[in-house]
Amino acid sequence: MNKYNPPRMNPSSLRSRFATRFLRSLSKINAKKPTASSSSPTEIFRRYRRIKVAADKSMAYSVRSRRTWSRAMLWKLRTRPCCRRSVKTSTIVRKTRHEKQNKNTTTTTGEDGVVFGVEADELRELVPGGEAMDLYNLLDETAHYIKCLTTQVQVMKKIADFYSP
Amino acid sequence: MENQFFLNAGIPAHAPPSQFGSFLSSSPMSDWQSLSSAMEIQSQDCFPTTDYGLQYESALSSMVSSPTASNCNISGDSLMIRELIGKLGSIGNSGEIPRHSQPMLAASSCYSTPLNSPPELNLPLPKPMGLNSSVADFSADPGFAERAAKFSCFGSRSLNGRTTQFVPKDNGEIAAYRSNPLTPNAKLPRVSSSPAIKAMASQVGGTNKNTPLQDRSQLVNSQEESTVSEQNPETGLKGPSSRKRKAVPKAKTKETSPSPSPSPNASKVTEAKETSNEKRCKLSESNGNENGSGKAEKDAKGSNTKAPEPPKDYIHVRARRGQATDSHSLAERVRREKISERMKLLQNLVPGCNKVTGKALMLDEIINYVQSLQRQVEFLSMKLASVNTRLDFNVESLMSKDQIFQSSNPSLQPIFPINSSASAFLGHQPQQNPPLHGNIANGTMSPCSVDPLDTAICPKLSTHLPQINQFIETLPQYPEFCEGDLESLVQMGFGQNQSQEMALHSQNFHGSNQVSDMKVEL
């Protein structure tokens, strides 16, 4: 895989890290596709799933374990039922358990506490690893998650635009 | 890239500690002013580093070793403080703190914000009695003047010369220190009136100099005494909250309290100041709670000051006026403020959230935005899955990288190009491309799965229906679907089964014939 980066681009930025990893995985996925059934919906569907997983994994790896959501996402990806290898998830499991221990009451008390109950739960479902966080950390993780998602979307969009005729 | 998002979240610069150290060591007022300005800047963040608070504490404690406070350790601070307050109170009137003294108090809180209206801290005289004893001790301390001199960094040059009376000097210095954040010039004149302080010092029980005494006391005790005085009332009124305070500042308070500040107001000021030093959070005087003695300043203090306190191991919060002061509510308030901070951050991240007010709506917008981003990722991955079948990926990955990094695509608005390109290859393969509308701005983006099936593919549709439906079902459901989306869909030129969403809902996706029906259904 080419490691070329334009000099003006920060090679260690989230975007470059994600783009590198994602392109690498994309090439892998495309390399093993059988040309015969490339156009069948099932094949496309399968590839879609793989690409989606690759995108999520690339993004999570780009963030490493600095963020709760990335850790949760990596753990989720590793423990996928379709994952062929048996991955040691003991460390990650411990982390998630630890995160759950830190869980405070989800519904904040106070004048606006009650309102947060429902939306916070929704947000927890959206953000990976958000179940075990209090509202403040959840908002923090959401902010970072949004940032990474936008980066992901931008990179993937550019790739798709590049390849589309 | 990541930092810029969280920079304004209050990540403190490292200027304060260094500045603090310099301020402690040097005497020019400019240091303090610079520090105060830095503090003001930091106040916004409310997260000054712990260093500067610690430095200050240590400096104060080292400088001022009042006889009462000398042997005080952290645990016994409250008692010492009460003594000091009593002593100080004896000097001046018990409980009378002139309104102008408030600015001093405010100045201490001004550690946090320059906009502290003077009468912010109604620290006045909670326990004047306790100060009486402290005053005597204070006056007896010969070295206090020297220590007070060390406070020259407070900026009161005029006071430095006055070594005759440690009280005035200390007062002046501390007053200047306290006042600097707010109005350096305004406070200095008062501070300079050391004769009043001298008189105050001499007259332990004199009530004539109450005004200047109180001023001085405020100035002097701004940090220590206020904390001291505040400790006293607070221990009674809000036990848990006072417990919150670190013992270290109390020690500092005690040590500095020897200065003959008559009024508990000053002590309150100092306490406020120390608390601000110790912890981060707001300094809002707990007027209603602590100042049982009717203080004129109360009216003036309507606003809560935010002190940029260094984040200590725990957060100290002062109860605001008219609010409960139990520890639970204080902690709750701190938490709410943190949460609102984060919400503001998120508001900047999520486009179109500026108009939304209220946390519930904001959260809804955020949820919608995250959902839309996730759907976009799925859509793009599906698109890539269909696109890359035809291209030699390895060769062009290099070039694609250039494109990725060259063009900046900050907003998600230009989704339409993708849709057009998607339609371009709709003719080649069946695709389930949920078109992403440009409604991301209002956060109500609900990507509809536009017709992935071209007319050319329609014949295959029936055969591929189960798989396609299966695939469609994997896509997230789109509960929100505004009519505007439909119109934009039509405009995009997807004349066929644009209402893929409807297919999702209705599960009867048979082709373009159903477009109109689906639309009606929706």
Side-chain angles (χ1 to χ4, degrees), chain A residues 1-6 8-9 15-16 19-20 22-23 26-27 30 33 38-39 41-42 44-45 47-48 51-52 66-67 105 108-112 115-116 119 122-123 126 135-136 139-140 142-147 149-165, chain B residues 1-2 5-6 332 335-336 338-339 342-343 346 349-350 359-360 363-364 366-367 369-371 373-374 376-378 380-391 393-394 396-407 409-412 414-415 418 421 429-430 464 467 471 474-475:
Chain A
M1 186 65 184
N2 302 310
K3 303 268 192 284
Y4 168 72
N5 274 340
R8 60 182 169 283
M9 192 65 191
R15 175 183 285 213
S16 62
T20 311
F22 184 57
L23 286 170
L26 262 187
S27 61
N30 285 332
K33 67 170 166 67
S38 61
S39 58
T42 37
I44 290 180
F45 178 68
R47 200 179 308 127
Y48 151 73
I51 290 177
K52 184 165 175 297
R66 288 198 300 266
R67 284 280 162 177
T105 61
T108 68
T109 60
E111 60 265 16
D112 54 348
V115 182
F116 279 161
E119 288 89 354
E122 282 184 32
L123 202 53
L126 284 177
L135 187 60
Y136 177 71
L139 292 177
D140 211 6
T142 304
H144 192 266
Y145 186 57
I146 285 175
K147 189 178 86 116
L149 275 181
T150 49
T151 311
Q152 198 173 0
V153 165
Q154 286 168 18
V155 171
M156 290 174 73
K157 202 186 301 180
K158 294 206 184 86
I159 295 176
D161 287 344
F162 179 78
Y163 283 110
S164 65
Chain B
M1 184 174 176
E2 303 181 2
F5 284 119
F6 303 105
E332 192 61 38
R335 189 155 164 272
R336 279 199 295 272
K338 289 190 338 186
I339 288 173
R342 283 276 166 258
M343 298 287 290
L346 282 168
L349 275 179
V350 179
K359 292 185 187 172
L363 270 182
D364 284 339
I366 292 166
I367 288 168
Y369 188 61
V370 171
Q371 276 174 348
L373 283 176
Q374 286 174 343
Q376 265 186 312
V377 169
E378 290 175 5
L380 286 168
S381 60
M382 170 54 54
K383 187 175 169 187
L384 283 173
S386 60
V387 167
N388 292 326
T389 60
R390 306 181 278 111
L391 297 173
F393 193 76
N394 292 327
E396 297 167 290
S397 61
L398 197 150
M399 295 176 57
S400 66
K401 267 196 194 175
D402 283 348
Q403 281 201 354
I404 287 168
F405 298 133
Q406 282 169 6
S407 58
N409 201 358
S411 71
L412 300 172
I415 288 290
I418 284 191
S421 62
Q429 302 116 9
H464 299 303
Q467 290 139 356
F471 169 76
T474 62
L475 295 178

Side-chain angles (χ1 to χ4, degrees), chain B residues 159-425:
Chain B
L159 295 173
N160 291 342
R162 298 195 211 91
T163 55
T164 57
Q165 294 256 349
F166 54 90
V167 172
K169 182 176 196 172
D170 188 33
N171 287 341
E173 286 174 352
I174 296 183
Y177 166 66
R178 303 272 302 181
S179 61
N180 279 339
L182 259 187
T183 56
N185 299 331
K187 296 304 174 278
L188 282 178
R190 192 177 302 128
V191 172
S192 60
S193 63
S194 58
I197 299 175
K198 295 182 188 177
M200 170 181 70
S202 58
Q203 304 174 8
V204 174
T207 60
N208 300 342
K209 320 288 183 202
N210 286 339
T211 302
L213 278 177
Q214 287 163 356
D215 296 344
R216 295 300 166 269
S217 63
Q218 289 178 355
L219 298 174
V220 177
N221 304 331
S222 55
Q223 288 164 350
E224 312 88 8
E225 293 169 357
S226 64
T227 48
V228 173
S229 61
E230 185 158 351
Q231 301 287 342
N232 299 337
E234 284 184 352
T235 48
L237 295 173
K238 46 171 185 168
S241 59
S242 60
R243 268 180 252 127
K244 278 175 147 187
R245 301 214 179 76
K246 268 185 142 170
V248 177
K250 289 187 187 179
K252 179 174 64 173
T253 306
K254 290 184 304 179
E255 293 170 2
T256 53
S257 62
S259 63
S261 63
S263 60
N265 288 345
S267 61
K268 279 206 172 181
V269 173
T270 54
E271 177 161 336
K273 183 115 187 167
E274 286 194 345
T275 57
S276 66
N277 290 342
E278 303 151 12
K279 303 161 194 195
R280 71 170 164 122
C281 256
K282 340 183 168 175
L283 274 190
S284 44
E285 63 274 5
S286 52
N287 295 342
N289 304 317
E290 296 177 354
N291 305 330
S293 56
K295 313 238 158 104
E297 309 98 13
K298 264 188 193 174
D299 359 333
K301 299 180 190 178
S303 61
N304 300 321
T305 57
K306 269 198 173 189
E309 298 163 358
K312 304 275 174 146
D313 45 355
Y314 58 99
I315 295 168
H316 172 74
V317 185
R318 291 278 299 280
R320 294 187 194 167
R321 175 175 187 161
Q323 292 187 358
T325 56
D326 58 321
S327 62
H328 291 294
S329 58
L330 283 174
E332 192 61 38
R333 190 180 321 129
V334 170
R335 189 155 164 272
R336 279 199 295 272
E337 280 150 12
K338 289 190 338 186
I339 288 173
S340 59
E341 251 181 71
R342 283 276 166 258
M343 298 287 290
K344 287 193 190 102
L345 259 184
L346 282 168
Q347 241 179 349
N348 299 335
L349 275 179
V350 179
C353 263
N354 300 328
K355 309 148 199 150
V356 176
T357 53
K359 292 185 187 172
L361 293 173
M362 262 294 303
L363 270 182
D364 284 339
E365 289 288 324
I366 292 166
I367 288 168
N368 291 341
Y369 188 61
V370 171
Q371 276 174 348
S372 71
L373 283 176
Q374 286 174 343
R375 286 176 202 153
Q376 265 186 312
V377 169
E378 290 175 5
F379 161 59
L380 286 168
S381 60
M382 170 54 54
K383 187 175 169 187
L384 283 173
S386 60
V387 167
N388 292 326
T389 60
R390 306 181 278 111
L391 297 173
D392 184 358
F393 193 76
N394 292 327
V395 175
E396 297 167 290
S397 61
L398 197 150
M399 295 176 57
S400 66
K401 267 196 194 175
D402 283 348
Q403 281 201 354
I404 287 168
F405 298 133
Q406 282 169 6
S407 58
S408 64
N409 201 358
S411 71
L412 300 172
Q413 290 287 344
I415 288 290
F416 289 96
I418 284 191
N419 290 328
S420 56
S421 62
S423 65
F425 52 158

